[in-house]
Amino acid sequence: MPKTQLTKDKLQQKVKELLESEKIEAFVGYGEGDLSLKKIPLVITRPEDVSKLTFDQTSTPLLSRYLLDGELKDKKVGILLKGCDKRALDLFEKENRINKENIYTLGISCNGVISINKMSEYLNDPTEYELNFDGEKVKASSKTGEEVEFDYQDILSPHCHICQSPTPEDVDDLIENEASEALVPIKEDGIMDSIIELEKASKEEKYQYFIESLNRCRRCFACREACPVCNCPKCLFDIENPRFLDKSTEESAQHQYYHILRAFHVADRCVGCGECERACPEEIPFYLLHEKIKKDIDEMFGEKEDALSYAYPDDVEPFEEGGEA
């Protein structure tokens, strides 16, 4: 039996037990979507629906942000968590945005997720293929019978190459994935090779690289919507006519302003999932911008010191309608 099927069976059995024993009222996991390469978030409330749950290397969206949803916020909820998703949940708890007493955390040891952008280097349209994982090899099969084989590590999301904790810690229960340790190449320094290369460039070259990248933005906000930690109840960029912000989507300078501001907004909160880049239709390399800022903050303030972000329930909302601050 394939290892992915074993993992799926263990997941479904555990969730069934949780729902039948009424330890939880709902469970947030992954289900099949319309595209074979993209699992979608799925909420189930009945034991007979556990067969809809699945998990594999295409389960890319982070689920923790759905616990901020009004319909789930006051329920006893179980949730499936990869390492990056657990980091986001820990952040929500620190910011007093969830009641941990109502949440059952079911961790799963992650062996990384695929990058469709990486797959595009091998296939004209990756979404037309079904994937079969066999250890460190992946076979892509099209409906027309074409088959292409490549190394799994070559199509891993860039963030997964440097993930320091793919297996979530301090969870209520954990589903082991035996293939995890063999497939994820952990870099002990947690620094991407591409950042090291970027730092070798001159100041002018780095500036030009980021300007050209950010100017491709369509201001669709897909990066913000996919990000588990960029979820303020009231976003600065959704406010009507703020005095300090030109909302034009035609001005390149406004694209740069949006992305620089967002990068600093999530700088010490980024959990390294890479969802922003996977969601971007223009393939803007957000991971370089975010990881570079994180690296600089760590060097200046020390790792895991929450250098920029503190939040309390009675914090005053600084941004009002109309842009008054």
Side-chain angles (χ1 to χ4, degrees), residues 100-135:
K100 194 177 179 183
E101 298 300 317
N102 286 344
I103 299 171
Y104 186 95
T105 53
L106 181 57
I108 188 162
S109 51
C110 178
N111 55 4
V113 295
I114 64 166
S115 164
I116 293 181
N117 292 343
K118 287 282 186 181
M119 289 186 62
S120 298
E121 298 175 10
Y122 302 89
L123 307 170
N124 287 331
D125 185 359
T127 61
E128 294 294 320
Y129 289 79
E130 295 278 351
L131 296 184
N132 290 298
F133 298 89
D134 182 13

PDB file of all heavy atoms in Angstrom, residues 100-135:
ATOM      1  N   LYS A 100      -7.111  28.540  22.879  1.00  0.00           N
ATOM      2  CA  LYS A 100      -6.459  27.248  22.678  1.00  0.00           C
ATOM      3  C   LYS A 100      -7.219  26.110  23.348  1.00  0.00           C
ATOM      4  O   LYS A 100      -7.107  24.950  22.937  1.00  0.00           O
ATOM      5  CB  LYS A 100      -5.021  27.305  23.196  1.00  0.00           C
ATOM      6  CG  LYS A 100      -4.177  26.130  22.730  1.00  0.00           C
ATOM      7  CD  LYS A 100      -2.738  26.231  23.192  1.00  0.00           C
ATOM      8  CE  LYS A 100      -1.944  25.022  22.715  1.00  0.00           C
ATOM      9  NZ  LYS A 100      -0.545  25.068  23.208  1.00  0.00           N
ATOM     10  N   GLU A 101      -7.988  26.424  24.399  1.00  0.00           N
ATOM     11  CA  GLU A 101      -8.739  25.383  25.104  1.00  0.00           C
ATOM     12  C   GLU A 101      -9.769  24.721  24.194  1.00  0.00           C
ATOM     13  O   GLU A 101     -10.190  23.589  24.442  1.00  0.00           O
ATOM     14  CB  GLU A 101      -9.436  26.000  26.323  1.00  0.00           C
ATOM     15  CG  GLU A 101      -8.484  26.583  27.356  1.00  0.00           C
ATOM     16  CD  GLU A 101      -7.535  25.526  27.911  1.00  0.00           C
ATOM     17  OE1 GLU A 101      -8.005  24.416  28.185  1.00  0.00           O
ATOM     18  OE2 GLU A 101      -6.334  25.808  28.041  1.00  0.00           O
ATOM     19  N   ASN A 102     -10.191  25.407  23.147  1.00  0.00           N
ATOM     20  CA  ASN A 102     -11.204  24.864  22.231  1.00  0.00           C
ATOM     21  C   ASN A 102     -10.601  24.141  21.039  1.00  0.00           C
ATOM     22  O   ASN A 102     -11.342  23.684  20.164  1.00  0.00           O
ATOM     23  CB  ASN A 102     -12.095  25.993  21.702  1.00  0.00           C
ATOM     24  CG  ASN A 102     -13.072  26.481  22.749  1.00  0.00           C
ATOM     25  OD1 ASN A 102     -13.296  25.794  23.755  1.00  0.00           O
ATOM     26  ND2 ASN A 102     -13.639  27.652  22.524  1.00  0.00           N
ATOM     27  N   ILE A 103      -9.280  24.042  20.975  1.00  0.00           N
ATOM     28  CA  ILE A 103      -8.632  23.534  19.762  1.00  0.00           C
ATOM     29  C   ILE A 103      -7.881  22.238  20.046  1.00  0.00           C
ATOM     30  O   ILE A 103      -7.069  22.171  20.983  1.00  0.00           O
ATOM     31  CB  ILE A 103      -7.661  24.590  19.196  1.00  0.00           C
ATOM     32  CG1 ILE A 103      -8.438  25.857  18.842  1.00  0.00           C
ATOM     33  CG2 ILE A 103      -6.939  24.048  17.960  1.00  0.00           C
ATOM     34  CD1 ILE A 103      -7.550  27.025  18.486  1.00  0.00           C
ATOM     35  N   TYR A 104      -8.168  21.220  19.249  1.00  0.00           N
ATOM     36  CA  TYR A 104      -7.423  19.956  19.313  1.00  0.00           C
ATOM     37  C   TYR A 104      -6.443  19.965  18.149  1.00  0.00           C
ATOM     38  O   TYR A 104      -6.838  20.003  16.975  1.00  0.00           O
ATOM     39  CB  TYR A 104      -8.369  18.766  19.194  1.00  0.00           C
ATOM     40  CG  TYR A 104      -7.677  17.432  19.389  1.00  0.00           C
ATOM     41  CD1 TYR A 104      -7.665  16.802  20.632  1.00  0.00           C
ATOM     42  CD2 TYR A 104      -7.031  16.805  18.333  1.00  0.00           C
ATOM     43  CE1 TYR A 104      -7.035  15.587  20.816  1.00  0.00           C
ATOM     44  CE2 TYR A 104      -6.390  15.588  18.506  1.00  0.00           C
ATOM     45  CZ  TYR A 104      -6.384  14.981  19.751  1.00  0.00           C
ATOM     46  OH  TYR A 104      -5.748  13.778  19.927  1.00  0.00           O
ATOM     47  N   THR A 105      -5.165  19.917  18.457  1.00  0.00           N
ATOM     48  CA  THR A 105      -4.142  20.013  17.408  1.00  0.00           C
ATOM     49  C   THR A 105      -3.655  18.622  17.019  1.00  0.00           C
ATOM     50  O   THR A 105      -3.109  17.883  17.830  1.00  0.00           O
ATOM     51  CB  THR A 105      -2.958  20.863  17.895  1.00  0.00           C
ATOM     52  OG1 THR A 105      -2.494  20.352  19.150  1.00  0.00           O
ATOM     53  CG2 THR A 105      -3.363  22.308  18.061  1.00  0.00           C
ATOM     54  N   LEU A 106      -3.891  18.269  15.770  1.00  0.00           N
ATOM     55  CA  LEU A 106      -3.438  16.995  15.224  1.00  0.00           C
ATOM     56  C   LEU A 106      -2.287  17.289  14.253  1.00  0.00           C
ATOM     57  O   LEU A 106      -2.503  17.778  13.148  1.00  0.00           O
ATOM     58  CB  LEU A 106      -4.583  16.285  14.498  1.00  0.00           C
ATOM     59  CG  LEU A 106      -4.269  14.920  13.882  1.00  0.00           C
ATOM     60  CD1 LEU A 106      -3.741  13.950  14.939  1.00  0.00           C
ATOM     61  CD2 LEU A 106      -5.500  14.342  13.209  1.00  0.00           C
ATOM     62  N   GLY A 107      -1.081  17.044  14.711  1.00  0.00           N
ATOM     63  CA  GLY A 107       0.086  17.336  13.880  1.00  0.00           C
ATOM     64  C   GLY A 107       0.344  16.236  12.865  1.00  0.00           C
ATOM     65  O   GLY A 107      -0.084  15.094  13.033  1.00  0.00           O
ATOM     66  N   ILE A 108       1.063  16.595  11.812  1.00  0.00           N
ATOM     67  CA  ILE A 108       1.479  15.598  10.832  1.00  0.00           C
ATOM     68  C   ILE A 108       2.894  15.926  10.396  1.00  0.00           C
ATOM     69  O   ILE A 108       3.218  17.086  10.100  1.00  0.00           O
ATOM     70  CB  ILE A 108       0.513  15.555   9.618  1.00  0.00           C
ATOM     71  CG1 ILE A 108       0.865  14.383   8.713  1.00  0.00           C
ATOM     72  CG2 ILE A 108       0.497  16.874   8.860  1.00  0.00           C
ATOM     73  CD1 ILE A 108      -0.251  14.008   7.757  1.00  0.00           C
ATOM     74  N   SER A 109       3.756  14.917  10.437  1.00  0.00           N
ATOM     75  CA  SER A 109       5.142  15.163  10.021  1.00  0.00           C
ATOM     76  C   SER A 109       5.153  15.390   8.512  1.00  0.00           C
ATOM     77  O   SER A 109       4.668  14.573   7.745  1.00  0.00           O
ATOM     78  CB  SER A 109       6.024  13.972  10.403  1.00  0.00           C
ATOM     79  OG  SER A 109       5.462  12.756   9.944  1.00  0.00           O
ATOM     80  N   CYS A 110       5.678  16.524   8.136  1.00  0.00           N
ATOM     81  CA  CYS A 110       5.580  16.992   6.747  1.00  0.00           C
ATOM     82  C   CYS A 110       6.855  16.649   5.978  1.00  0.00           C
ATOM     83  O   CYS A 110       7.962  16.833   6.490  1.00  0.00           O
ATOM     84  CB  CYS A 110       5.338  18.495   6.751  1.00  0.00           C
ATOM     85  SG  CYS A 110       5.252  19.249   5.126  1.00  0.00           S
ATOM     86  N   ASN A 111       6.690  16.172   4.776  1.00  0.00           N
ATOM     87  CA  ASN A 111       7.864  15.936   3.924  1.00  0.00           C
ATOM     88  C   ASN A 111       7.969  16.969   2.819  1.00  0.00           C
ATOM     89  O   ASN A 111       8.487  16.718   1.746  1.00  0.00           O
ATOM     90  CB  ASN A 111       7.848  14.520   3.347  1.00  0.00           C
ATOM     91  CG  ASN A 111       6.576  14.226   2.598  1.00  0.00           C
ATOM     92  OD1 ASN A 111       5.733  15.097   2.453  1.00  0.00           O
ATOM     93  ND2 ASN A 111       6.435  13.010   2.116  1.00  0.00           N
ATOM     94  N   GLY A 112       7.450  18.176   3.123  1.00  0.00           N
ATOM     95  CA  GLY A 112       7.522  19.266   2.164  1.00  0.00           C
ATOM     96  C   GLY A 112       6.344  19.245   1.203  1.00  0.00           C
ATOM     97  O   GLY A 112       5.626  18.261   1.099  1.00  0.00           O
ATOM     98  N   VAL A 113       6.165  20.362   0.531  1.00  0.00           N
ATOM     99  CA  VAL A 113       5.101  20.467  -0.479  1.00  0.00           C
ATOM    100  C   VAL A 113       5.727  20.871  -1.803  1.00  0.00           C
ATOM    101  O   VAL A 113       6.793  21.481  -1.853  1.00  0.00           O
ATOM    102  CB  VAL A 113       4.015  21.487  -0.069  1.00  0.00           C
ATOM    103  CG1 VAL A 113       3.286  21.023   1.174  1.00  0.00           C
ATOM    104  CG2 VAL A 113       4.610  22.868   0.131  1.00  0.00           C
ATOM    105  N   ILE A 114       5.037  20.531  -2.872  1.00  0.00           N
ATOM    106  CA  ILE A 114       5.591  20.815  -4.194  1.00  0.00           C
ATOM    107  C   ILE A 114       5.383  22.277  -4.583  1.00  0.00           C
ATOM    108  O   ILE A 114       4.517  22.962  -4.046  1.00  0.00           O
ATOM    109  CB  ILE A 114       4.944  19.924  -5.264  1.00  0.00           C
ATOM    110  CG1 ILE A 114       3.446  20.234  -5.384  1.00  0.00           C
ATOM    111  CG2 ILE A 114       5.175  18.462  -4.960  1.00  0.00           C
ATOM    112  CD1 ILE A 114       2.812  19.664  -6.625  1.00  0.00           C
ATOM    113  N   SER A 115       6.200  22.730  -5.500  1.00  0.00           N
ATOM    114  CA  SER A 115       6.051  24.053  -6.093  1.00  0.00           C
ATOM    115  C   SER A 115       5.663  23.871  -7.557  1.00  0.00           C
ATOM    116  O   SER A 115       6.417  23.285  -8.336  1.00  0.00           O
ATOM    117  CB  SER A 115       7.372  24.826  -5.998  1.00  0.00           C
ATOM    118  OG  SER A 115       7.358  25.930  -6.880  1.00  0.00           O
ATOM    119  N   ILE A 116       4.473  24.354  -7.917  1.00  0.00           N
ATOM    120  CA  ILE A 116       4.044  24.247  -9.312  1.00  0.00           C
ATOM    121  C   ILE A 116       4.966  25.070 -10.213  1.00  0.00           C
ATOM    122  O   ILE A 116       5.226  24.695 -11.362  1.00  0.00           O
ATOM    123  CB  ILE A 116       2.578  24.699  -9.450  1.00  0.00           C
ATOM    124  CG1 ILE A 116       1.670  23.707  -8.720  1.00  0.00           C
ATOM    125  CG2 ILE A 116       2.167  24.784 -10.919  1.00  0.00           C
ATOM    126  CD1 ILE A 116       0.190  24.023  -8.813  1.00  0.00           C
ATOM    127  N   ASN A 117       5.485  26.180  -9.686  1.00  0.00           N
ATOM    128  CA  ASN A 117       6.443  26.966 -10.475  1.00  0.00           C
ATOM    129  C   ASN A 117       7.679  26.130 -10.810  1.00  0.00           C
ATOM    130  O   ASN A 117       8.209  26.206 -11.919  1.00  0.00           O
ATOM    131  CB  ASN A 117       6.859  28.220  -9.712  1.00  0.00           C
ATOM    132  CG  ASN A 117       5.721  29.206  -9.576  1.00  0.00           C
ATOM    133  OD1 ASN A 117       4.736  29.119 -10.300  1.00  0.00           O
ATOM    134  ND2 ASN A 117       5.862  30.141  -8.656  1.00  0.00           N
ATOM    135  N   LYS A 118       8.148  25.340  -9.843  1.00  0.00           N
ATOM    136  CA  LYS A 118       9.292  24.463 -10.100  1.00  0.00           C
ATOM    137  C   LYS A 118       8.932  23.387 -11.122  1.00  0.00           C
ATOM    138  O   LYS A 118       9.736  23.033 -11.989  1.00  0.00           O
ATOM    139  CB  LYS A 118       9.735  23.807  -8.793  1.00  0.00           C
ATOM    140  CG  LYS A 118      10.450  24.735  -7.821  1.00  0.00           C
ATOM    141  CD  LYS A 118      11.877  24.933  -8.250  1.00  0.00           C
ATOM    142  CE  LYS A 118      12.649  25.725  -7.222  1.00  0.00           C
ATOM    143  NZ  LYS A 118      14.048  25.938  -7.642  1.00  0.00           N
ATOM    144  N   MET A 119       7.717  22.864 -11.019  1.00  0.00           N
ATOM    145  CA  MET A 119       7.306  21.827 -11.957  1.00  0.00           C
ATOM    146  C   MET A 119       7.211  22.367 -13.377  1.00  0.00           C
ATOM    147  O   MET A 119       7.385  21.623 -14.347  1.00  0.00           O
ATOM    148  CB  MET A 119       5.949  21.259 -11.528  1.00  0.00           C
ATOM    149  CG  MET A 119       6.006  20.407 -10.276  1.00  0.00           C
ATOM    150  SD  MET A 119       4.433  19.621  -9.929  1.00  0.00           S
ATOM    151  CE  MET A 119       4.231  18.613 -11.390  1.00  0.00           C
ATOM    152  N   SER A 120       6.945  23.660 -13.513  1.00  0.00           N
ATOM    153  CA  SER A 120       6.853  24.265 -14.847  1.00  0.00           C
ATOM    154  C   SER A 120       8.182  24.202 -15.592  1.00  0.00           C
ATOM    155  O   SER A 120       8.218  24.373 -16.816  1.00  0.00           O
ATOM    156  CB  SER A 120       6.397  25.726 -14.725  1.00  0.00           C
ATOM    157  OG  SER A 120       5.109  25.798 -14.152  1.00  0.00           O
ATOM    158  N   GLU A 121       9.273  23.972 -14.862  1.00  0.00           N
ATOM    159  CA  GLU A 121      10.568  23.827 -15.524  1.00  0.00           C
ATOM    160  C   GLU A 121      10.661  22.490 -16.261  1.00  0.00           C
ATOM    161  O   GLU A 121      11.506  22.319 -17.134  1.00  0.00           O
ATOM    162  CB  GLU A 121      11.690  23.933 -14.486  1.00  0.00           C
ATOM    163  CG  GLU A 121      11.738  25.289 -13.778  1.00  0.00           C
ATOM    164  CD  GLU A 121      12.775  25.322 -12.668  1.00  0.00           C
ATOM    165  OE1 GLU A 121      13.580  24.357 -12.583  1.00  0.00           O
ATOM    166  OE2 GLU A 121      12.767  26.286 -11.883  1.00  0.00           O
ATOM    167  N   TYR A 122       9.776  21.541 -15.907  1.00  0.00           N
ATOM    168  CA  TYR A 122       9.803  20.216 -16.527  1.00  0.00           C
ATOM    169  C   TYR A 122       8.585  19.956 -17.412  1.00  0.00           C
ATOM    170  O   TYR A 122       8.654  19.150 -18.339  1.00  0.00           O
ATOM    171  CB  TYR A 122       9.837  19.121 -15.443  1.00  0.00           C
ATOM    172  CG  TYR A 122      11.017  19.232 -14.514  1.00  0.00           C
ATOM    173  CD1 TYR A 122      10.936  19.998 -13.355  1.00  0.00           C
ATOM    174  CD2 TYR A 122      12.219  18.586 -14.791  1.00  0.00           C
ATOM    175  CE1 TYR A 122      12.018  20.114 -12.489  1.00  0.00           C
ATOM    176  CE2 TYR A 122      13.294  18.692 -13.938  1.00  0.00           C
ATOM    177  CZ  TYR A 122      13.188  19.456 -12.783  1.00  0.00           C
ATOM    178  OH  TYR A 122      14.256  19.573 -11.937  1.00  0.00           O
ATOM    179  N   LEU A 123       7.457  20.638 -17.098  1.00  0.00           N
ATOM    180  CA  LEU A 123       6.201  20.353 -17.790  1.00  0.00           C
ATOM    181  C   LEU A 123       5.591  21.644 -18.313  1.00  0.00           C
ATOM    182  O   LEU A 123       5.669  22.687 -17.652  1.00  0.00           O
ATOM    183  CB  LEU A 123       5.220  19.684 -16.826  1.00  0.00           C
ATOM    184  CG  LEU A 123       5.724  18.434 -16.092  1.00  0.00           C
ATOM    185  CD1 LEU A 123       4.728  18.031 -15.002  1.00  0.00           C
ATOM    186  CD2 LEU A 123       5.931  17.291 -17.065  1.00  0.00           C
ATOM    187  N   ASN A 124       4.966  21.586 -19.497  1.00  0.00           N
ATOM    188  CA  ASN A 124       4.350  22.792 -20.057  1.00  0.00           C
ATOM    189  C   ASN A 124       3.186  23.280 -19.205  1.00  0.00           C
ATOM    190  O   ASN A 124       3.040  24.466 -18.941  1.00  0.00           O
ATOM    191  CB  ASN A 124       3.855  22.494 -21.478  1.00  0.00           C
ATOM    192  CG  ASN A 124       5.007  22.373 -22.459  1.00  0.00           C
ATOM    193  OD1 ASN A 124       6.061  22.980 -22.279  1.00  0.00           O
ATOM    194  ND2 ASN A 124       4.814  21.567 -23.490  1.00  0.00           N
ATOM    195  N   ASP A 125       2.328  22.358 -18.776  1.00  0.00           N
ATOM    196  CA  ASP A 125       1.196  22.716 -17.926  1.00  0.00           C
ATOM    197  C   ASP A 125       1.068  21.668 -16.826  1.00  0.00           C
ATOM    198  O   ASP A 125       0.386  20.653 -17.003  1.00  0.00           O
ATOM    199  CB  ASP A 125      -0.094  22.787 -18.744  1.00  0.00           C
ATOM    200  CG  ASP A 125      -1.273  23.268 -17.900  1.00  0.00           C
ATOM    201  OD1 ASP A 125      -1.079  23.514 -16.688  1.00  0.00           O
ATOM    202  OD2 ASP A 125      -2.376  23.404 -18.454  1.00  0.00           O
ATOM    203  N   PRO A 126       1.727  21.890 -15.682  1.00  0.00           N
ATOM    204  CA  PRO A 126       1.718  20.885 -14.609  1.00  0.00           C
ATOM    205  C   PRO A 126       0.333  20.486 -14.158  1.00  0.00           C
ATOM    206  O   PRO A 126       0.124  19.357 -13.703  1.00  0.00           O
ATOM    207  CB  PRO A 126       2.484  21.580 -13.481  1.00  0.00           C
ATOM    208  CG  PRO A 126       3.345  22.585 -14.164  1.00  0.00           C
ATOM    209  CD  PRO A 126       2.532  23.071 -15.330  1.00  0.00           C
ATOM    210  N   THR A 127      -0.643  21.403 -14.278  1.00  0.00           N
ATOM    211  CA  THR A 127      -1.983  21.096 -13.769  1.00  0.00           C
ATOM    212  C   THR A 127      -2.679  20.009 -14.592  1.00  0.00           C
ATOM    213  O   THR A 127      -3.733  19.507 -14.198  1.00  0.00           O
ATOM    214  CB  THR A 127      -2.868  22.356 -13.748  1.00  0.00           C
ATOM    215  OG1 THR A 127      -3.003  22.862 -15.085  1.00  0.00           O
ATOM    216  CG2 THR A 127      -2.236  23.433 -12.871  1.00  0.00           C
ATOM    217  N   GLU A 128      -2.119  19.647 -15.730  1.00  0.00           N
ATOM    218  CA  GLU A 128      -2.707  18.605 -16.576  1.00  0.00           C
ATOM    219  C   GLU A 128      -2.208  17.211 -16.200  1.00  0.00           C
ATOM    220  O   GLU A 128      -2.545  16.225 -16.864  1.00  0.00           O
ATOM    221  CB  GLU A 128      -2.386  18.877 -18.052  1.00  0.00           C
ATOM    222  CG  GLU A 128      -3.029  20.141 -18.603  1.00  0.00           C
ATOM    223  CD  GLU A 128      -4.552  20.014 -18.653  1.00  0.00           C
ATOM    224  OE1 GLU A 128      -5.028  18.929 -19.017  1.00  0.00           O
ATOM    225  OE2 GLU A 128      -5.237  20.985 -18.289  1.00  0.00           O
ATOM    226  N   TYR A 129      -1.385  17.134 -15.158  1.00  0.00           N
ATOM    227  CA  TYR A 129      -0.749  15.859 -14.801  1.00  0.00           C
ATOM    228  C   TYR A 129      -1.216  15.368 -13.428  1.00  0.00           C
ATOM    229  O   TYR A 129      -1.545  16.161 -12.539  1.00  0.00           O
ATOM    230  CB  TYR A 129       0.772  16.009 -14.779  1.00  0.00           C
ATOM    231  CG  TYR A 129       1.391  16.183 -16.146  1.00  0.00           C
ATOM    232  CD1 TYR A 129       1.346  17.422 -16.785  1.00  0.00           C
ATOM    233  CD2 TYR A 129       2.003  15.121 -16.801  1.00  0.00           C
ATOM    234  CE1 TYR A 129       1.897  17.599 -18.046  1.00  0.00           C
ATOM    235  CE2 TYR A 129       2.562  15.289 -18.056  1.00  0.00           C
ATOM    236  CZ  TYR A 129       2.510  16.525 -18.677  1.00  0.00           C
ATOM    237  OH  TYR A 129       3.049  16.700 -19.927  1.00  0.00           O
ATOM    238  N   GLU A 130      -1.200  14.044 -13.277  1.00  0.00           N
ATOM    239  CA  GLU A 130      -1.368  13.403 -11.984  1.00  0.00           C
ATOM    240  C   GLU A 130       0.025  13.012 -11.486  1.00  0.00           C
ATOM    241  O   GLU A 130       0.880  12.597 -12.277  1.00  0.00           O
ATOM    242  CB  GLU A 130      -2.229  12.134 -12.110  1.00  0.00           C
ATOM    243  CG  GLU A 130      -3.661  12.376 -12.541  1.00  0.00           C
ATOM    244  CD  GLU A 130      -4.555  12.779 -11.388  1.00  0.00           C
ATOM    245  OE1 GLU A 130      -4.080  12.691 -10.234  1.00  0.00           O
ATOM    246  OE2 GLU A 130      -5.701  13.185 -11.650  1.00  0.00           O
ATOM    247  N   LEU A 131       0.248  13.133 -10.167  1.00  0.00           N
ATOM    248  CA  LEU A 131       1.567  12.814  -9.613  1.00  0.00           C
ATOM    249  C   LEU A 131       1.506  11.533  -8.793  1.00  0.00           C
ATOM    250  O   LEU A 131       0.551  11.301  -8.042  1.00  0.00           O
ATOM    251  CB  LEU A 131       2.060  13.957  -8.720  1.00  0.00           C
ATOM    252  CG  LEU A 131       2.317  15.306  -9.399  1.00  0.00           C
ATOM    253  CD1 LEU A 131       2.889  16.280  -8.383  1.00  0.00           C
ATOM    254  CD2 LEU A 131       3.249  15.168 -10.583  1.00  0.00           C
ATOM    255  N   ASN A 132       2.536  10.728  -8.940  1.00  0.00           N
ATOM    256  CA  ASN A 132       2.707   9.545  -8.103  1.00  0.00           C
ATOM    257  C   ASN A 132       4.073   9.637  -7.432  1.00  0.00           C
ATOM    258  O   ASN A 132       5.100   9.734  -8.119  1.00  0.00           O
ATOM    259  CB  ASN A 132       2.620   8.270  -8.944  1.00  0.00           C
ATOM    260  CG  ASN A 132       1.214   8.021  -9.447  1.00  0.00           C
ATOM    261  OD1 ASN A 132       0.297   7.829  -8.657  1.00  0.00           O
ATOM    262  ND2 ASN A 132       1.029   8.046 -10.758  1.00  0.00           N
ATOM    263  N   PHE A 133       4.064   9.628  -6.104  1.00  0.00           N
ATOM    264  CA  PHE A 133       5.295   9.770  -5.334  1.00  0.00           C
ATOM    265  C   PHE A 133       5.819   8.386  -4.966  1.00  0.00           C
ATOM    266  O   PHE A 133       5.091   7.545  -4.441  1.00  0.00           O
ATOM    267  CB  PHE A 133       5.045  10.583  -4.072  1.00  0.00           C
ATOM    268  CG  PHE A 133       4.597  11.990  -4.353  1.00  0.00           C
ATOM    269  CD1 PHE A 133       3.240  12.282  -4.499  1.00  0.00           C
ATOM    270  CD2 PHE A 133       5.515  13.007  -4.501  1.00  0.00           C
ATOM    271  CE1 PHE A 133       2.823  13.576  -4.767  1.00  0.00           C
ATOM    272  CE2 PHE A 133       5.102  14.307  -4.778  1.00  0.00           C
ATOM    273  CZ  PHE A 133       3.740  14.585  -4.912  1.00  0.00           C
ATOM    274  N   ASP A 134       7.104   8.183  -5.228  1.00  0.00           N
ATOM    275  CA  ASP A 134       7.737   6.907  -4.887  1.00  0.00           C
ATOM    276  C   ASP A 134       9.115   7.214  -4.298  1.00  0.00           C
ATOM    277  O   ASP A 134      10.098   7.356  -5.025  1.00  0.00           O
ATOM    278  CB  ASP A 134       7.868   6.027  -6.135  1.00  0.00           C
ATOM    279  CG  ASP A 134       8.472   4.662  -5.811  1.00  0.00           C
ATOM    280  OD1 ASP A 134       8.542   4.324  -4.612  1.00  0.00           O
ATOM    281  OD2 ASP A 134       8.873   3.950  -6.747  1.00  0.00           O
ATOM    282  N   GLY A 135       9.147   7.350  -2.971  1.00  0.00           N
ATOM    283  CA  GLY A 135      10.406   7.703  -2.320  1.00  0.00           C
ATOM    284  C   GLY A 135      10.878   9.074  -2.776  1.00  0.00           C
ATOM    285  O   GLY A 135      10.153  10.060  -2.672  1.00  0.00           O
TER     286      GLY A 135
END
